Amino acid sequence: MKPRTRRGGGRPTIADVARLAGVGAITVSRALREPERVSESLRKQIQQAVEELGYLPDPNARALASARAEVFGVLVPSLTNNVFAEVVRGIYDSLSDSPFRVQLANTHYSGLEEERLLQLFLSQRPAALIVSGIDQTEAARRLLDNAGCPVVQIMEIGPDPVDMMIGFSHFEGGRVATNHMIEAGYRRVGFLGARMDPRSQRRLAGYRAAMEAAGLFDPRLVTTTPVLSSVTLGRDLFRDALAKMPSLDGVFCNNDDLALGVLFECHRASIAVPQTIGITGFNDLDMMQVAFPSVTSIRTHRYEIGRQAVTMALAAIGGERPENRIVDLGFDLKRRESTARPADR
């Protein structure tokens, strides 16, 4: 009997079987390789899908797969930053019921360290790589181009993925946050930024684009530092910004730590929020909702990015590449009290 081909051409894949059976690709793979680990009813369900599709395992693909470690290499720039902690949690949760393990590494925002870690990971022949960002060095890009396994770049989108990519536009996030403050009636809106890695630079570019479009941009409104972000630094940057521009009436902060620092300094100095100063953060950590007043922020879908990155990689391991290699999960502007002037309530 001739195997049925997939819609769009090509032989049926594990992903096709999983979709027809209504289970995950990991479950199908386990049922075919280790049937004793799967319930009898689930085995029958999967076998029915296998027979209906005419799925035949590719012995060459299996031989290639067996030469690879059942490991997902994951590179993030920080293990203490809550932003990346959520991404990593999504990755771990998605692989918890699979034969794959996670090998996690911290690049410390260093391109050279990322190169070194990629060389180490690739020497161990991982099943897939999940890598933060799109600003790899030329050497790191070459390593990823020749990785020989699925690669998913996360937390950003761009025009030239190594393989697959999932995230959102930091430029658009910065632009939307700034436009919100302008629409709320703030005119001398400052930008406060720390560390200023490429993602932060794109948020700053979005801020500047919005301010220039409104005819409000002034370079004195921008206060940045390469120093590691913290709540205390947010307070210090806000003080510096006020010294440069005493008429400042709002701030868009590169992240929520800085935004909290601004809020605490406003409380200390008896500066009314949102009447005198409006505050917007970025990432929307839990603390933004419970602060007083609650703080407007750009919510990014960090857990979902980690989860879907695993889904994309597993599908590729199963022989199915996504039609859209670039997945934009977008972001949400969470309007709260810190930018709600009395006229806007």
Side-chain angles (χ1 to χ4, degrees):
M1 174 177 167
K2 183 178 180 181
R4 182 190 298 182
T5 58
R6 294 187 289 142
R7 184 173 58 187
R11 296 173 67 90
T13 68
I14 281 183
D16 296 322
V17 175
R19 186 161 42 247
L20 183 59
V23 298
I26 291 175
T27 304
V28 174
S29 178
R30 184 184 299 117
L32 296 178
R33 292 186 305 153
E34 302 173 275
E36 68 278 3
R37 295 184 59 191
V38 179
S39 68
E40 182 177 354
S41 62
L42 197 54
R43 284 201 307 271
K44 290 181 178 178
Q45 182 178 333
I46 292 170
Q47 185 59 35
Q48 182 178 347
V50 166
E51 292 173 359
E52 182 174 341
L53 288 171
Y55 172 76
L56 294 173
D58 184 346
N60 294 325
R62 179 173 295 179
L64 178 61
S66 65
R68 291 200 166 272
E70 291 188 330
V71 168
F72 272 49
V74 178
L75 276 69
V76 294
S78 172
L79 295 178
T80 57
N81 188 324
N82 285 334
V83 171
F84 294 102
E86 280 293 289
V87 176
V88 170
R89 187 169 68 87
I91 293 170
Y92 271 98
D93 285 355
S94 299
L95 288 173
S96 62
D97 187 31
S98 82
F100 296 101
R101 293 171 289 112
V102 176
Q103 185 172 8
L104 182 62
N106 184 356
T107 67
H108 299 283
Y109 293 91
S110 167
L112 292 178
E113 179 66 2
E114 184 175 54
E115 290 176 21
R116 187 188 71 81
L117 289 168
L118 282 174
Q119 290 171 350
L120 175 63
F121 277 21
L122 290 172
S123 70
Q124 299 167 1
R125 296 182 59 79
L129 285 173
I130 298 176
V131 183
S132 295
I134 61 176
D135 296 284
Q136 283 76 31
T137 64
E138 289 186 16
R141 175 72 190 222
R142 285 195 298 271
L143 288 168
L144 292 172
D145 284 337
N146 298 300
C149 67
V151 175
V152 186
Q153 293 164 286
I154 60 172
M155 296 301 287
E156 286 198 76
I157 55 172
D160 186 27
V162 170
D163 184 6
M164 297 170 285
M165 180 182 294
I166 182 167
F168 60 95
S169 168
H170 292 259
F171 174 90
E172 280 300 306
R175 189 184 66 81
V176 166
T178 307
N179 274 337
H180 163 67
M181 299 196 73
I182 294 171
E183 291 166 1
Y186 299 98
R187 290 295 176 265
R188 293 170 297 281
V189 180
F191 176 90
L192 303 186
R195 189 183 283 281
M196 299 313 294
D197 57 74
R199 286 176 286 278
S200 300
Q201 294 286 354
R202 284 187 266 278
R203 294 173 201 170
L204 172 56
Y207 156 86
R208 178 165 184 162
M211 291 292 283
E212 287 180 341
L216 299 173
F217 180 73
D218 184 328
R220 293 175 298 170
L221 290 167
V222 177
T223 306
T224 63
T225 176
V227 175
L228 179 66
S229 181
S230 69
V231 174
T232 302
L233 182 62
R235 176 202 65 187
D236 296 341
L237 290 177
F238 181 54
R239 289 175 178 175
D240 292 344
L242 281 176
K244 289 191 298 180
M245 183 74 74
S247 60
L248 192 74
D249 68 355
V251 286
F252 165 45
C253 299
N254 183 49
N255 60 47
D256 291 339
D257 289 348
L258 299 182
L260 275 184
V262 173
L263 180 63
F264 293 158
E265 177 60 13
C266 285
H267 288 328
R268 189 202 64 79
S270 298
I271 299 173
V273 178
Q275 293 86 350
T276 304
I277 290 285
I279 306 171
T280 296
F282 201 101
N283 285 316
D284 197 36
L285 303 180
D286 288 344
M287 64 189 82
M288 297 295 99
Q289 302 178 54
V290 298
F292 181 76
S294 57
V295 181
T296 296
S297 189
I298 294 289
R299 174 172 293 179
T300 55
H301 307 295
R302 304 175 296 278
Y303 181 87
E304 189 65 14
I305 286 173
R307 193 188 70 78
Q308 289 199 33
V310 169
T311 299
M312 295 167 74
L314 287 173
I317 290 171
E320 181 170 295
R321 296 278 171 173
E323 290 184 14
N324 297 319
R325 296 194 302 144
I326 302 173
V327 177
D328 183 359
L329 285 186
F331 52 82
D332 298 318
L333 173 66
K334 294 299 178 180
R335 297 174 175 85
R336 299 197 179 97
E337 295 168 329
S338 67
T339 56
R341 278 181 159 174
D344 301 316
R345 289 182 187 273

